[in-house]
Amino acid sequence: MKIFISHKQEDSDTANRLASELRSLGIPYYLDILDSTVTTSGKALTEHIKSNLNDCTDIIVIMSEATRFSQWVPFEVGMSAQNDMPTATFLKSNVSLPEFLEYWPRLKYPSDIAKYVSTRREVQDEYVRYDMAQTTKSQTERFYDVLKRRL
């Protein structure tokens, strides 16, 4: 598991707190503000984001009032959805989510990151242990169901 942390620049402090939580759990992550190779120009930046997102297995999207003005957060979410990448939103405050983000589990506290990680591992292990690849519900859908009950 490697988690891509999607956020608007104004939410960098929250992104750093989530990164710290992931680090304490031993989970690798990608956070652009810690990446000195990020470029600021169009095509190069797009390719950079795509490459790093493709190197991750999951995405957590930080949602705040500032997110609605982001051009990159919807791009990252769209790319992750194409790959059935497990996705969750982290609500920085009482934000009304755009409709396209209401389906995913909503994390509200940094401690919810541990619930995300443990649930993801349990469901992944369940699918491997019981050879559930042929079930009608995808592993990602099962993960969402279990995590939503735990939050």
Side-chain angles (χ1 to χ4, degrees):
M1 176 182 342
K2 182 175 181 183
I3 298 178
F4 187 98
I5 302 172
S6 176
H7 70 290
K8 182 92 168 98
Q9 185 175 5
E10 289 85 342
D11 299 323
S12 294
D13 288 344
T14 302
N16 273 319
R17 278 195 302 271
L18 295 185
S20 177
E21 191 69 28
L22 289 167
R23 190 171 33 260
S24 75
L25 296 167
I27 302 300
Y29 59 87
Y30 175 78
L31 178 57
D32 64 353
I33 54 179
L34 302 178
D35 182 353
S36 62
T37 66
V38 172
T39 102
T40 58
S41 61
K43 183 172 174 25
L45 181 56
T46 300
E47 293 304 317
H48 185 83
I49 290 170
K50 284 170 52 177
S51 173
N52 283 287
L53 192 55
N54 287 333
D55 190 39
C56 292
T57 59
D58 299 55
I59 183 171
I60 294 178
V61 183
I62 297 174
M63 293 299 301
S64 71
E65 289 301 321
T67 310
R68 78 175 81 186
F69 303 108
S70 174
Q71 64 181 9
W72 293 109
V73 170
F75 173 76
E76 293 160 356
V77 169
M79 281 197 55
S80 67
Q82 284 183 321
N83 298 324
D84 193 31
M85 183 181 278
T87 302
T89 55
F90 183 89
L91 304 180
K92 186 174 169 187
S93 56
N94 268 341
V95 170
S96 19
L97 291 174
E99 190 175 319
F100 72 97
L101 289 176
E102 288 182 357
Y103 170 71
W104 293 301
R106 296 175 201 151
L107 312 175
K108 296 179 182 173
Y109 309 101
S111 60
D112 288 343
I113 298 295
K115 291 177 188 174
Y116 180 102
V117 169
S118 65
T119 303
R120 180 82 162 83
R121 286 178 171 159
E122 288 170 27
V123 170
Q124 191 172 29
D125 186 51
E126 176 183 295
Y127 269 67
V128 170
R129 186 178 318 136
Y130 300 112
D131 191 25
M132 297 175 66
Q134 302 305 317
T135 62
T136 56
K137 186 172 275 198
S138 78
Q139 184 175 330
T140 302
E141 289 175 39
R142 169 89 174 123
F143 166 66
Y144 292 158
D145 290 346
V146 174
L147 182 58
K148 285 176 184 179
R149 282 194 306 269
R150 291 181 180 178
L151 293 173

